[in-house]
Amino acid sequence: MVHIRPWFPDGEAFILEPRPVEILHTERDRVYLRGAVQTDEMILAGGVHRVAPSQQVRPARGD
C-alpha cells in the first residue's frame, strides 16, 4: 500500500510515500486496515507496481 502525501506547489500534486499496512477486511467500496495511516488520509489502492516512492501524482476525479 502506498500513502499519498500532499505536496502543493501548484495546488494539485501529491507525493507518494510507502507505508506498511495490514488489510483487515474489504467491502465493495471500503477497506479496513491497520498500520501507519491516519483517518482521512488518501491512499493509492491499485497499480502500486507502476509507481515509485516520492513520485508526484494527481488524483483522478471520481464522479
Side-chain angles (χ1 to χ4, degrees):
M1 197 276 304
V2 178
H3 171 259
I4 300 177
R5 179 171 45 98
W7 183 72
F8 299 108
D10 62 1
E12 293 291 325
F14 294 81
I15 298 290
L16 296 177
E17 177 181 283
R19 295 200 189 162
V21 298
E22 175 187 2
I23 296 174
L24 302 174
H25 178 73
T26 61
E27 294 179 4
R28 281 196 297 172
D29 62 344
R30 295 179 187 265
V31 175
Y32 298 90
L33 52 85
R34 175 177 27 223
V37 178
Q38 301 299 314
T39 302
D40 295 329
E41 286 186 311
M42 295 175 64
I43 63 167
L44 176 64
V48 296
H49 63 287
R50 302 170 88 182
V51 296
S54 299
Q55 180 176 336
Q56 292 182 30
V57 295
R58 294 178 189 271
R61 304 284 182 216
D63 292 323

